Amino acid sequence: MWEYAVWGAVGAAVNRALIFMEANRRAKGPAWRYPDGPGGGFFLLASALHCAIGVGITLAAALSGIIATPLLALGLGAVAPAAMAKVGRYALAALDPVPPGVGGREE
């Protein structure tokens, strides 16, 4: 099962590399470079967290028998960080659907 986690990490790293290339194209150079961006340390931390999410989700799917091939593990690892970001936004919206000061709501 650990080999599926490795494939999930590779998928998440590929996804992160594509995001990085897109950001560099938009910024006309390294988007993470300090002082214009957050700096290399933040980029490395974000990349590590991105890959950890891919590994965790892929490993959980493999241990439960959902993943049967390395290609599925690679795909799940690539999709997992984006899917978890969306789930996180839904969870935050469920906890506080309307922020204070919006729509006539008072604090």
Side-chain angles (χ1 to χ4, degrees), residues 2 6 8 11 16 18 31 38 41 48 52-53 59-60 71 79 83 92-93 95 99 106:
W2 64 269
V6 172
R16 189 67 182 177
L18 293 172
I53 291 168
L59 185 60
L71 184 60
V79 171
L92 288 175
L95 292 174
E106 303 208 7

Side-chain angles (χ1 to χ4, degrees), residues 80-100:
M84 289 297 104
K86 179 122 356 224
V87 168
R89 281 193 294 274
Y90 288 144
L92 288 175
L95 292 174
D96 189 17
V98 180

Side-chain angles (χ1 to χ4, degrees), residues 8-22 50-51 74-83:
V10 170
V14 167
N15 185 345
R16 189 67 182 177
L18 293 172
I19 291 169
F20 176 72
M21 288 173 25
E22 181 181 314
H50 201 96
C51 290
L74 181 76
L76 184 60
V79 171

Side-chain angles (χ1 to χ4, degrees), residues 26-99:
R26 262 195 327 263
K28 307 284 192 248
W32 50 270
R33 189 176 18 183
Y34 187 80
D36 298 327
F42 178 77
F43 174 73
L44 289 176
L45 175 64
S47 297
L49 290 173
H50 201 96
C51 290
I53 291 168
V55 167
I57 298 297
T58 305
L59 185 60
L63 289 174
S64 60
I66 296 172
I67 299 292
T69 66
L71 184 60
L72 289 175
L74 181 76
L76 184 60
V79 171
M84 289 297 104
K86 179 122 356 224
V87 168
R89 281 193 294 274
Y90 288 144
L92 288 175
L95 292 174
D96 189 17
V98 180

